[in-house]
Amino acid sequence: MEEVYHIPALLSETLEGLNISPSGIYVDVTLGGAGHSRAILERLGQDGRLFSFDQDADALQRIADTDSRWTLVHGNFRYVRHFLDFYGVPAYSADEIGSGIDGLLADLGVSFHHFDEAERGFSFRFDGPLDMRMNRSGGKTAADIVNSYDEESLARVLFLYGEMKNSRSLARRIISRRPLTTTRQLADVIGDDKKDLAKTFQALRMEVNDEMSALREMLDSAGAMLRPGGRIAILTYHSLEDRLVKNFFKSGNTDGRIEKDFYGNRLSPFRLVNRQVITPSNDEVERNPRARSAKLRIAEKI
C-alpha cells in the first residue's frame, strides 16, 4: 500500500473557491502530498499552467510523473514572487500583457509525513532527533533553540507561537535540563499534558522555520501577483495564522492596517468570497481527523 504523505483538507471547497479557469496560471505554494496540485491540474486545459512549491525535497521527489503544464519549485514560499519572475511570470501590471496569476493556494498544515517520521523530530509521539526543519539542507534545528536560547528568548517563542501562559516557567525548566537532543527528552521535561506538548512542539517548529514571517512575505507577494478577478485560498490550522490571513484579506496588508476613503468606507484590494470561514464537515473529520482544525478563507482581487 502506498504511504499516505498528506490528505488535503477541504479539497472540493478549495477548488470551488479558486474558480479555476482552464487557461489560467495557478500557484500551489504548499505542494505536500500534491493532492491539491493534482486536482488543480485536472481542471486545467492545454494552455493552463501550474507552479507547485515545497521547501522539503522529499515532497518533490515523490512526484514521479511529468506534465509540461506543471512546474515544481524547490523553495520557500516566501520567495514565490522571485521564483515566478524567474520562470517568466512577473507580478501583475496593467501595462504588461500576460503578467500576474489567476489563483494561489496555500495549505499551511504540516504533512502527515513530517509528523509520522521520527527522524524529522516534529512529533512527541516518537523518539527522534530534535530537528523540525522543513528544509533539511541548512538552518537551525529545534535542538539549537532549546540548547542556546536564554530564558527570555525561549519564553517569548513559547508564548508567541504556542500561546502558553506558563511559558516563563517552562522555559526555565527546559534550560535547567539542558542539553536536550531528542524529542523524548524534551517531552519528559514538558510532562504528560498533551496540550502543553502540542503547543511546545508547535512553537518550536514555527520558530525553526520562521513560519509567520514567511507567511507575511508570501501574502504580500500574492497581493502583487494576482490579476484582477484572481483568487487566493488559504487553509490555516491555528489562530495565529488565521488571524493574519483574516486581517490581510480585510485590509490588503499584513499589518492589518485599515485604510478608508473620504466617506469612511473600508479600502481593500480584496473581496471576500466566503463571508464566514469554511470548516470541515463532520463526515470529513471522521475520514480525516487531522483536518479538524482546518479553516479556509478565500478572497478575490478587485
Side-chain angles (χ1 to χ4, degrees), residues 234-281:
I234 309 289
L235 284 151
T236 64
Y237 294 82
H238 58 75
S239 59
L240 292 175
E241 295 171 341
D242 186 56
R243 192 179 308 127
L244 178 58
V245 172
K246 180 180 179 180
N247 289 338
F248 176 74
F249 284 173
K250 285 185 175 181
S251 66
N253 60 79
T254 53
D255 295 328
R257 183 180 65 259
I258 302 295
E259 297 182 1
K260 297 183 179 181
D261 63 17
F262 178 80
Y263 301 100
N265 299 310
R266 177 185 293 154
L267 296 174
S268 173
F270 297 108
R271 175 186 70 84
L272 298 180
V273 173
N274 55 314
R275 291 288 175 179
Q276 299 295 323
V277 67
I278 299 172
T279 56
S281 65

Side-chain angles (χ1 to χ4, degrees), residues 190-204:
I190 298 167
D192 296 328
D193 189 298
K194 292 291 179 63
K195 287 186 177 180
D196 279 354
L197 284 165
K199 288 180 177 180
T200 301
F201 274 68
Q202 171 184 292
L204 291 172

Side-chain angles (χ1 to χ4, degrees), residues 131 133 135-141 144 208:
D131 194 323
R133 291 173 299 170
N135 184 348
R136 291 189 285 182
S137 63
K140 63 188 175 186
T141 66
D144 294 329
V208 166

Side-chain angles (χ1 to χ4, degrees), residues 25 27 79-102 218-228 301:
I25 299 175
V27 181
Y79 306 119
V80 60
R81 182 172 178 176
H82 303 295
F83 276 109
L84 288 182
D85 191 55
F86 172 78
Y87 284 107
V89 185
Y92 172 73
S93 170
D95 299 324
E96 188 171 354
I97 297 175
S99 63
I101 62 175
D102 296 284
M218 185 274 288
L219 289 173
D220 284 335
S221 293
M225 291 185 301
L226 281 171
R227 299 167 178 165
K301 181 80 169 286

Side-chain angles (χ1 to χ4, degrees), residues 72-296:
L72 302 177
V73 183
H74 183 205
N76 191 307
F77 63 38
R78 73 195 313 159
Y79 306 119
V80 60
R81 182 172 178 176
H82 303 295
F83 276 109
L84 288 182
D85 191 55
F86 172 78
Y87 284 107
V89 185
Y92 172 73
S93 170
D95 299 324
E96 188 171 354
I97 297 175
S99 63
I101 62 175
D102 296 284
L104 182 144
L105 160 69
D107 180 350
L108 303 179
V110 179
S111 294
F112 295 1
H113 168 70
H114 293 134
F115 281 129
D116 293 343
E117 285 203 355
E119 66 179 26
R120 300 301 298 266
F122 284 91
S123 176
F124 54 83
R125 294 183 295 118
F126 310 105
D127 191 19
L130 266 177
D131 194 323
M132 301 193 195
R133 291 173 299 170
M134 295 290 188
N135 184 348
R136 291 189 285 182
S137 63
K140 63 188 175 186
T141 66
D144 294 329
I145 292 171
V146 299
N147 291 312
S148 67
Y149 278 26
D150 59 26
E151 182 181 315
E152 182 177 353
S153 298
L154 186 55
R156 177 192 59 80
V157 169
L158 297 173
F159 180 79
L160 188 62
Y161 298 143
E163 300 181 290
M164 304 182 71
K165 295 180 179 179
N166 62 337
S167 60
R168 181 71 69 177
S169 60
L170 180 55
R172 191 176 303 121
R173 196 157 72 244
I174 290 173
I175 288 174
S176 71
R177 298 278 294 274
R178 294 196 305 206
L180 301 171
T181 59
T182 70
T183 55
R184 183 63 50 79
Q185 289 173 343
L186 177 60
D188 287 343
V189 175
I190 298 167
D192 296 328
D193 189 298
K194 292 291 179 63
K195 287 186 177 180
D196 279 354
L197 284 165
K199 288 180 177 180
T200 301
F201 274 68
Q202 171 184 292
L204 291 172
R205 188 201 77 225
M206 292 177 70
E207 176 73 2
V208 166
N209 298 288
D210 196 20
E211 292 182 21
M212 294 305 291
S213 294
L215 178 57
R216 288 188 181 91
E217 291 180 36
M218 185 274 288
L219 289 173
D220 284 335
S221 293
M225 291 185 301
L226 281 171
R227 299 167 178 165
R231 292 188 174 185
I232 176 172
I234 309 289
L235 284 151
T236 64
Y237 294 82
H238 58 75
S239 59
L240 292 175
E241 295 171 341
D242 186 56
R243 192 179 308 127
L244 178 58
V245 172
K246 180 180 179 180
N247 289 338
F248 176 74
F249 284 173
K250 285 185 175 181
S251 66
N253 60 79
T254 53
D255 295 328
R257 183 180 65 259
I258 302 295
E259 297 182 1
K260 297 183 179 181
D261 63 17
F262 178 80
Y263 301 100
N265 299 310
R266 177 185 293 154
L267 296 174
S268 173
F270 297 108
R271 175 186 70 84
L272 298 180
V273 173
N274 55 314
R275 291 288 175 179
Q276 299 295 323
V277 67
I278 299 172
T279 56
S281 65
N282 291 334
D283 287 343
E284 177 169 1
V285 171
E286 187 174 345
R287 295 192 308 270
N288 180 16
R290 294 184 181 183
R292 181 180 291 107
S293 57
K295 292 182 178 180
L296 172 63

